[in-house]
Amino acid sequence: ENCVTCHGAQGRGDGPAAATLAIQPADLKQHAFHHDETYLTALLTRGGATMPAFGTQLSRAQMTDVIAYIRLLARGE
């Protein structure tokens, strides 16, 4: 519910808001295995270039679930 607007339903960075952003959202399928859980958790917590921070909205367990989900998407599951 927090990611699809920018990253799209399949995590490819092609969500409905992506075209309005100065920096295109990442294709999560490409980043799922290039970064470890510590890096991805920090990114979710603090946000990125145009990505908002979710540190106050998501628990650590929810962030772990998000990371697991994008890794499943990357595998085509």
Side-chain angles (χ1 to χ4, degrees):
E1 74 187 61
N2 293 307
C3 309
V4 73
T5 302
C6 297
H7 291 285
Q10 297 301 312
R12 297 240 180 230
D14 60 353
T20 67
L21 300 172
I23 299 172
Q24 289 303 113
D27 180 339
L28 299 177
K29 289 184 172 190
Q30 292 181 7
H31 290 273
F33 297 106
H34 295 302
H35 302 289
D36 65 17
E37 188 163 335
T38 300
Y39 174 86
L40 294 171
T41 300
L43 183 61
L44 287 168
T45 300
R46 294 190 293 264
T50 58
M51 186 175 121
F54 291 99
T56 61
Q57 296 173 318
L58 300 174
S59 69
R60 182 65 62 141
Q62 288 171 312
M63 289 184 204
T64 299
D65 288 344
V66 168
I67 294 165
Y69 180 73
I70 65 169
R71 288 184 171 155
L72 287 173
L73 280 178
R75 288 187 189 115
E77 298 178 29

